[in-house]
Amino acid sequence: MFHGVIGKTRFLSHIRSFSSAKNAVQMNQQTEPVKMTEKCIKRLKELHEKSPEKTLRISVEGGGCSGFQYLFSLDTETTEDDCVIEKEGAKILVDKDSMQYLEGAVVDFQSELIRSAFRILKNPKAETGCSCGSSFSLKV
């Protein structure tokens, strides 16, 4: 399930309902702009059980070794400019400016010996990325 204010984009043709409580637009599964793996969903649910007021926020900013970088944080507030992506009870927040760089991306949670973190596995808007996966350059 996708909830968010995208502005006047191609998503508006798929509007199912409007929620005045959060000024958000609900979309159907076919328009899910950011996808989540099962490991991502599982970890988000675990985090929600520990801290129900916190939601994973993904944003994009200039920087990193490839030009743009992904930022992951836990946030307690949702703004009018946020897109709320929900699947199987797991939620992700993405501001509308970052959404233009993340549309079609896949979010995963990876646990390794030296770290555990959320990562973007596939981003159709990215031309190349750095070896650690935290930054990318845009397709032109």
Side-chain angles (χ1 to χ4, degrees):
M1 177 74 58
F2 168 75
H3 312 275
V5 177
I6 302 290
K8 295 182 180 181
T9 68
R10 66 177 181 254
F11 293 123
L12 291 179
S13 63
H14 300 288
I15 294 175
R16 188 172 59 191
S17 64
F18 183 79
S19 168
S20 60
K22 295 215 181 206
N23 195 23
V25 177
Q26 289 187 334
M27 309 278 177
N28 62 29
Q29 284 294 95
Q30 296 171 337
T31 62
E32 184 178 57
V34 175
K35 296 167 182 52
M36 294 180 246
T37 64
E38 290 301 317
K39 289 190 287 185
C40 174
I41 292 169
K42 179 182 176 190
R43 182 62 179 147
L44 288 172
K45 287 180 177 180
E46 290 169 355
L47 290 172
H48 182 72
E49 286 177 16
K50 292 178 184 175
S51 301
E53 71 284 357
K54 294 182 181 177
T55 305
L56 178 67
R57 177 177 294 281
I58 304 173
S59 55
V60 174
E61 69 176 24
C65 52
S66 297
F68 291 92
Q69 61 187 351
Y70 303 113
L71 300 174
F72 298 90
S73 62
L74 293 175
D75 203 339
T76 57
E77 295 183 20
T78 303
T79 69
E80 278 189 22
D81 288 340
D82 283 340
C83 302
V84 180
I85 298 97
E86 183 174 4
K87 184 175 181 184
E88 299 176 29
K91 292 183 183 180
I92 295 175
L93 302 174
V94 180
D95 64 89
K96 71 178 182 179
D97 291 333
S98 296
M99 184 58 78
Q100 65 184 326
Y101 304 110
L102 292 170
E103 185 180 352
V106 177
V107 183
D108 188 32
F109 181 77
Q110 296 181 336
S111 185
E112 301 167 352
L113 289 176
I114 57 171
R115 74 177 189 150
S116 297
F118 289 98
R119 291 187 64 177
I120 302 295
L121 285 186
K122 299 175 189 170
N123 184 348
K125 307 267 179 150
E127 176 98 31
T128 60
C130 65
S131 60
C132 69
S134 64
S135 68
F136 66 99
S137 63
L138 286 176
K139 288 183 180 176
V140 182

